[in-house]
């Protein structure tokens, strides 16, 4: 099997067996070497965003001292949830490898179908009530950003 995915699976077992979070692991590879490995830490950290992919993105960006991971690849034991999928895009990574998929995860009660339904506007129930308020005032920082000469682009 793939040597990087093997490490991601080891991480999934490690995190699960130490009760740090769900059975998910991930690694980030740069130039053929693992630069970050990790697992789900939601339970350990009480952070609902501490999914394996987010955990390794944070480790890799800290290590490299930059937010752009376009020269890195991510290996995740499971198909990333919508949050992680977006984070992988925000990090500008060019390759994602995963093994188990969202339907496999749903069978063990990690079901993110509801989030896909909300995004696709096909959800029949709303968990989060969404309110649009103060639209003009909220756009004021955009005006200043657009005119800011020394802005850091990402
Ligand atoms: Zn996720």
């Amino acid at each position: 099997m793939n040597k990087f995915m093997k490490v991601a699976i080891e991480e999934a077992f490690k995190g699960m067996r130490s009760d740090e979070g769900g059975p998910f692991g991930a690694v980030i590879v740069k130039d053929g070497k693992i630069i970050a490995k990790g697992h789900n830490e939601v339970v350990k950290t009480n952070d609902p965003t501490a999914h394996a992919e987010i955990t390794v993105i944070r480790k890799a960006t800290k290590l490299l001292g930059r937010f752009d991971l376009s020269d890195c690849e991510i290996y995740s034991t499971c198909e990333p949830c919508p949050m992680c999928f977006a984070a992988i895009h925000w990090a500008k990574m060019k390759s994602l490898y995963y093994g188990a998929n969202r339907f496999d995860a749903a069978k063990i009660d990690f079901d993110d179908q509801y989030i896909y339904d909300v995004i696709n506007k096909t959800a029949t129930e709303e968990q989060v009530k969404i309110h649009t308020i103060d639209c003009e005032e909220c756009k004021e920082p955009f005006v200043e950003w657009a005119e800011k000469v020394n802005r850091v682009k990402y």
Side-chain angles (χ1 to χ4, degrees):
M1 71 170 293
N2 180 281
K3 64 180 178 179
F4 302 128
M5 191 60 88
K6 190 169 188 288
V7 175
I9 293 170
E10 286 166 6
E11 281 292 320
F13 277 118
K14 192 172 146 189
M16 171 183 68
R17 289 171 179 164
S18 59
D19 295 323
E20 294 186 3
F24 307 98
V27 300
I28 288 180
V29 173
K30 180 179 179 292
D31 302 326
K33 285 184 186 157
I34 293 175
I35 60 163
K37 61 180 183 177
H39 50 259
N40 183 298
E41 296 183 1
V42 170
V43 175
K44 176 189 169 190
T45 60
N46 288 322
D47 177 355
T49 69
H51 291 188
E53 300 91 328
I54 302 293
T55 301
V56 292
I57 286 171
R58 287 179 179 153
K59 284 181 181 177
T61 54
K62 190 174 180 186
L63 178 81
L64 297 173
R66 52 181 158 91
F67 46 74
D68 185 324
L69 298 179
S70 57
D71 53 354
C72 299
E73 301 179 316
I74 187 165
Y75 291 75
S76 180
T77 56
C78 188
E79 179 179 2
C81 75
M83 170 183 71
C84 294
F85 190 68
I88 290 163
H89 282 79
W90 284 123
K92 301 187 176 11
M93 280 188 267
K94 302 287 192 295
S95 287
L96 156 68
Y97 300 84
Y98 69 84
N101 64 36
R102 67 176 93 161
F103 307 105
D104 299 317
K107 287 178 194 160
I108 55 162
D109 295 333
F110 290 97
D111 191 357
D112 49 14
Q113 184 58 48
Y114 173 72
I115 301 171
Y116 290 103
D117 292 345
V118 171
I119 292 169
N120 293 329
K121 301 195 184 303
T122 56
T124 52
E125 287 176 35
E126 59 180 352
Q127 177 192 321
V128 177
K129 290 206 184 315
I130 300 170
H131 311 273
T132 305
I133 60 166
D134 299 328
C135 304
E136 291 310 310
E137 291 86 346
C138 290
K139 284 189 274 186
E140 286 171 12
F142 293 2
V143 175
E144 188 169 321
W145 174 262
E147 292 166 357
K148 188 173 164 65
V149 266
N150 60 341
R151 66 184 188 234
V152 179
K153 289 189 178 177
Y154 60 92

